[in-house]
Amino acid sequence: MPAYKFANGFGYLISFIIGILWLTIFGLMHAVVLYPVTILLRTIGWSSAAKSFKKKLFYVTAAVVLLLGFIIFVSILSQVGDVETVKTLTILWAIYSLIEFVSYGLLIKYSKIFVASLSSIIGILVMVNFITTPVTQVQEIYTFAVIAVPFLIISSLASFIGFFRLKRPESAMEPTTAIPAPIAPQEAYIICPNCGRQIPSGSRFCPFCGFK
Protein backbone atom coordinates (compact mmCIF):
# COMPACT_ATOMS: atom_id res chain seq x y z
CA MET A 1 0.00 0.00 0.00
CA PRO A 2 1.46 3.40 -0.97
CA ALA A 3 2.38 5.70 1.92
CA TYR A 4 -0.09 8.37 0.81
CA LYS A 5 -2.96 5.89 1.18
CA PHE A 6 -1.94 4.59 4.61
CA ALA A 7 -0.63 7.83 6.18
CA ASN A 8 -3.25 10.25 4.88
CA GLY A 9 -6.02 7.67 5.18
CA PHE A 10 -5.41 7.04 8.88
CA GLY A 11 -4.39 10.66 9.42
CA TYR A 12 -7.80 11.89 8.33
CA LEU A 13 -9.54 9.06 10.19
CA ILE A 14 -7.92 10.34 13.39
CA SER A 15 -8.90 13.88 12.38
CA PHE A 16 -12.48 12.61 12.04
CA ILE A 17 -12.29 11.12 15.54
CA ILE A 18 -10.86 14.37 16.91
CA GLY A 19 -13.81 16.24 15.42
CA ILE A 20 -16.25 13.90 17.15
CA LEU A 21 -14.38 14.32 20.45
CA TRP A 22 -14.38 18.10 20.06
CA LEU A 23 -18.16 18.06 20.26
CA THR A 24 -18.02 16.47 23.70
CA ILE A 25 -16.61 18.08 26.82
CA PHE A 26 -15.17 14.81 28.14
CA GLY A 27 -13.47 13.96 24.88
CA LEU A 28 -11.63 17.25 24.50
CA MET A 29 -8.46 16.07 26.28
CA HIS A 30 -8.30 12.95 24.11
CA ALA A 31 -8.61 15.17 21.05
CA VAL A 32 -5.53 17.12 22.17
CA VAL A 33 -3.54 13.89 22.63
CA LEU A 34 -4.48 12.64 19.15
CA TYR A 35 -3.73 15.97 17.42
CA PRO A 36 0.06 15.44 16.90
CA VAL A 37 -0.63 11.95 15.53
CA THR A 38 -2.89 13.23 12.76
CA ILE A 39 -0.43 16.04 11.98
CA LEU A 40 2.50 13.63 11.63
CA LEU A 41 0.55 11.14 9.51
CA ARG A 42 -0.80 13.85 7.20
CA THR A 43 2.69 15.29 6.78
CA ILE A 44 3.99 11.88 5.67
CA GLY A 45 0.93 11.32 3.50
CA TRP A 46 1.09 14.62 1.62
CA SER A 47 4.84 14.19 1.06
CA SER A 48 4.23 10.75 -0.42
CA ALA A 49 1.37 12.08 -2.56
CA ALA A 50 3.64 14.84 -3.87
CA LYS A 51 6.12 12.25 -5.11
CA SER A 52 3.51 9.85 -6.48
CA PHE A 53 1.32 12.46 -8.22
CA LYS A 54 4.16 14.86 -9.09
CA LYS A 55 2.41 17.83 -7.43
CA LYS A 56 4.80 20.34 -5.83
CA LEU A 57 1.93 21.94 -3.90
CA PHE A 58 1.60 18.73 -1.87
CA TYR A 59 5.15 19.23 -0.58
CA VAL A 60 4.13 22.73 0.53
CA THR A 61 1.01 21.28 2.16
CA ALA A 62 3.09 18.73 4.08
CA ALA A 63 5.58 21.35 5.29
CA VAL A 64 2.92 23.87 6.38
CA VAL A 65 0.80 21.23 8.15
CA LEU A 66 3.86 20.01 10.07
CA LEU A 67 5.18 23.45 11.01
CA LEU A 68 1.93 25.15 11.97
CA GLY A 69 0.49 22.00 13.53
CA PHE A 70 3.58 21.68 15.73
CA ILE A 71 3.30 25.32 16.84
CA ILE A 72 -0.38 24.87 17.69
CA PHE A 73 0.25 21.68 19.67
CA VAL A 74 3.12 23.20 21.69
CA SER A 75 0.99 26.24 22.46
CA ILE A 76 -1.86 24.01 23.65
CA LEU A 77 0.52 22.10 25.93
CA SER A 78 1.75 25.43 27.31
CA GLN A 79 -1.86 26.12 28.32
CA VAL A 80 -1.81 29.59 26.84
CA GLY A 81 -5.45 30.53 27.11
CA ASP A 82 -5.92 34.25 26.52
CA VAL A 83 -8.27 35.34 23.75
CA GLU A 84 -5.62 36.85 21.47
CA THR A 85 -3.43 33.74 21.61
CA VAL A 86 -6.37 31.49 20.82
CA LYS A 87 -7.23 33.69 17.85
CA THR A 88 -3.63 33.55 16.64
CA LEU A 89 -3.63 29.75 16.85
CA THR A 90 -6.93 29.71 14.97
CA ILE A 91 -5.31 31.78 12.22
CA LEU A 92 -2.48 29.24 11.95
CA TRP A 93 -4.99 26.40 11.78
CA ALA A 94 -6.98 28.26 9.10
CA ILE A 95 -3.83 28.75 6.98
CA TYR A 96 -2.88 25.08 6.79
CA SER A 97 -6.54 24.08 6.42
CA LEU A 98 -6.88 26.39 3.40
CA ILE A 99 -3.78 24.87 1.80
CA GLU A 100 -5.22 21.40 2.38
CA PHE A 101 -8.50 22.63 0.86
CA VAL A 102 -6.66 23.61 -2.34
CA SER A 103 -4.86 20.25 -2.36
CA TYR A 104 -8.22 18.45 -2.14
CA GLY A 105 -9.25 20.31 -5.26
CA LEU A 106 -6.26 18.93 -7.16
CA LEU A 107 -7.26 15.37 -6.23
CA ILE A 108 -10.84 15.58 -7.48
CA LYS A 109 -9.88 14.45 -10.98
CA TYR A 110 -8.48 11.25 -9.47
CA SER A 111 -11.37 10.59 -7.05
CA LYS A 112 -14.70 12.45 -6.98
CA ILE A 113 -15.06 11.76 -3.25
CA PHE A 114 -12.74 14.72 -2.63
CA VAL A 115 -15.60 17.01 -3.66
CA ALA A 116 -17.05 16.27 -0.21
CA SER A 117 -13.66 17.11 1.33
CA LEU A 118 -14.15 20.67 0.11
CA SER A 119 -16.87 21.09 2.76
CA SER A 120 -14.01 22.06 5.07
CA ILE A 121 -14.17 25.58 3.61
CA ILE A 122 -17.44 26.19 5.47
CA GLY A 123 -15.83 25.27 8.79
CA ILE A 124 -12.81 27.41 7.96
CA LEU A 125 -14.98 30.44 7.17
CA VAL A 126 -16.90 29.99 10.42
CA MET A 127 -13.66 30.02 12.40
CA VAL A 128 -12.40 33.02 10.44
CA ASN A 129 -15.57 34.75 11.60
CA PHE A 130 -14.53 33.91 15.17
CA ILE A 131 -11.15 35.57 14.52
CA THR A 132 -12.78 38.78 13.34
CA THR A 133 -15.48 38.88 16.02
CA PRO A 134 -14.75 40.79 19.26
CA VAL A 135 -14.90 38.30 22.12
CA THR A 136 -13.91 38.66 25.77
CA GLN A 137 -13.76 35.03 26.88
CA VAL A 138 -11.96 32.07 25.34
CA GLN A 139 -14.99 29.87 25.98
CA GLU A 140 -16.85 31.79 23.29
CA ILE A 141 -14.86 29.83 20.70
CA TYR A 142 -17.14 26.86 21.33
CA THR A 143 -20.10 28.85 19.98
CA PHE A 144 -18.31 28.95 16.64
CA ALA A 145 -16.76 25.47 16.93
CA VAL A 146 -20.09 23.64 17.23
CA ILE A 147 -21.03 25.14 13.86
CA ALA A 148 -17.66 24.62 12.15
CA VAL A 149 -16.71 21.15 13.43
CA PRO A 150 -19.53 19.17 11.72
CA PHE A 151 -18.31 20.38 8.32
CA LEU A 152 -14.73 19.50 9.27
CA ILE A 153 -15.92 16.04 10.32
CA ILE A 154 -17.54 15.53 6.91
CA SER A 155 -14.37 16.72 5.18
CA SER A 156 -12.14 14.40 7.24
CA LEU A 157 -14.37 11.39 6.63
CA ALA A 158 -14.45 12.07 2.88
CA SER A 159 -10.65 12.48 2.81
CA PHE A 160 -10.22 9.22 4.73
CA ILE A 161 -12.33 7.36 2.15
CA GLY A 162 -10.83 9.29 -0.75
CA PHE A 163 -7.22 8.48 0.06
CA PHE A 164 -7.89 4.77 0.50
CA ARG A 165 -9.66 4.72 -2.87
CA LEU A 166 -7.07 6.92 -4.57
CA LYS A 167 -5.08 5.34 -7.39
CA ARG A 168 -1.85 6.64 -8.80
CA PRO A 169 -2.49 7.96 -12.34
CA GLU A 170 -0.73 6.29 -15.26
CA SER A 171 0.67 9.67 -16.36
CA ALA A 172 2.51 10.05 -13.03
CA MET A 173 4.23 6.69 -13.21
CA GLU A 174 7.90 6.50 -14.05
CA PRO A 175 8.43 5.89 -17.77
CA THR A 176 9.93 2.50 -18.56
CA THR A 177 12.77 2.23 -21.04
CA ALA A 178 11.84 -0.06 -23.89
CA ILE A 179 14.41 -2.72 -24.72
CA PRO A 180 15.09 -2.60 -28.46
CA ALA A 181 14.60 -5.82 -30.37
CA PRO A 182 17.82 -7.42 -31.56
CA ILE A 183 18.71 -6.56 -35.14
CA ALA A 184 19.18 -9.56 -37.33
CA PRO A 185 22.59 -9.58 -39.00
CA GLN A 186 22.53 -8.68 -42.65
CA GLU A 187 23.52 -11.55 -44.94
CA ALA A 188 26.62 -10.78 -47.00
CA TYR A 189 26.53 -11.08 -50.78
CA ILE A 190 29.10 -11.43 -53.55
CA ILE A 191 28.84 -10.93 -57.30
CA CYS A 192 28.88 -13.96 -59.58
CA PRO A 193 31.82 -13.43 -61.96
CA ASN A 194 29.92 -15.21 -64.75
CA CYS A 195 26.40 -13.68 -64.76
CA GLY A 196 26.99 -10.61 -62.54
CA ARG A 197 24.14 -11.32 -60.16
CA GLN A 198 24.26 -11.10 -56.36
CA ILE A 199 24.58 -14.44 -54.63
CA PRO A 200 25.04 -15.25 -50.91
CA SER A 201 28.66 -15.29 -49.83
CA GLY A 202 29.87 -18.79 -49.17
CA SER A 203 27.81 -20.23 -52.05
CA ARG A 204 29.64 -23.10 -53.82
CA PHE A 205 27.93 -22.29 -57.14
CA CYS A 206 25.71 -19.58 -58.62
CA PRO A 207 22.01 -20.49 -58.25
CA PHE A 208 21.28 -18.53 -61.43
CA CYS A 209 23.88 -19.76 -63.94
CA GLY A 210 25.46 -22.67 -62.14
CA PHE A 211 28.96 -21.18 -62.30
CA LYS A 212 31.32 -22.64 -59.68
Side-chain angles (χ1 to χ4, degrees):
M1 179 184 293
Y4 66 82
K5 281 179 176 281
F6 176 84
N8 263 344
F10 282 106
Y12 283 104
L13 176 61
I14 293 174
S15 182
F16 167 78
I17 295 171
I18 288 174
I20 298 296
L21 293 175
W22 251 95
L23 295 178
T24 66
I25 297 176
F26 299 104
L28 189 56
M29 183 55 64
H30 295 87
V32 173
V33 173
L34 290 174
Y35 182 70
V37 180
T38 182
I39 290 299
L40 181 59
L41 286 174
R42 282 149 63 185
T43 298
I44 296 172
W46 282 116
S47 297
S48 174
K51 182 178 180 180
S52 298
F53 290 83
K54 301 188 184 302
K55 301 288 186 183
K56 292 182 179 180
L57 177 63
F58 294 169
Y59 282 121
V60 176
T61 304
V64 173
V65 167
L66 179 62
L67 177 61
L68 300 187
F70 177 77
I71 293 173
I72 293 171
F73 180 65
V74 170
S75 300
I76 293 173
L77 290 182
S78 302
Q79 296 183 344
V80 179
D82 62 279
V83 172
E84 291 306 315
T85 300
V86 171
K87 284 192 173 185
T88 300
L89 296 180
T90 305
I91 291 173
L92 298 182
W93 169 84
I95 291 173
Y96 81 65
S97 297
L98 281 172
I99 296 176
E100 283 189 304
F101 170 80
V102 175
S103 297
Y104 298 149
L106 295 180
L107 291 173
I108 289 176
K109 68 178 181 179
Y110 306 114
S111 178
K112 299 300 181 185
I113 192 67
F114 284 102
V115 172
S117 299
L118 298 179
S119 61
S120 64
I121 191 62
I122 301 176
I124 295 170
L125 292 176
V126 171
M127 296 312 297
V128 168
N129 188 34
F130 161 72
I131 297 169
T132 58
T133 301
V135 294
T136 56
Q137 295 183 342
V138 174
Q139 288 74 11
E140 293 182 57
I141 189 176
Y142 295 108
T143 304
F144 296 86
V146 294
I147 301 173
V149 168
F151 294 101
L152 301 176
I153 289 174
I154 293 171
S155 177
S156 296
L157 180 60
S159 299
F160 160 65
I161 298 171
F163 273 106
F164 272 106
R165 294 178 59 183
L166 196 60
K167 292 183 179 180
R168 186 180 180 187
E170 294 291 334
S171 59
M173 293 184 179
E174 296 293 335
T176 55
T177 304
I179 301 175
I183 301 175
Q186 296 291 327
E187 189 173 7
Y189 290 91
I190 59 175
I191 302 298
C192 174
N194 183 51
C195 66
R197 294 189 182 186
Q198 281 187 342
I199 60 174
S201 63
S203 299
R204 300 181 64 182
F205 60 89
C206 177
F208 301 103
C209 67
F211 180 79
K212 292 186 178 181

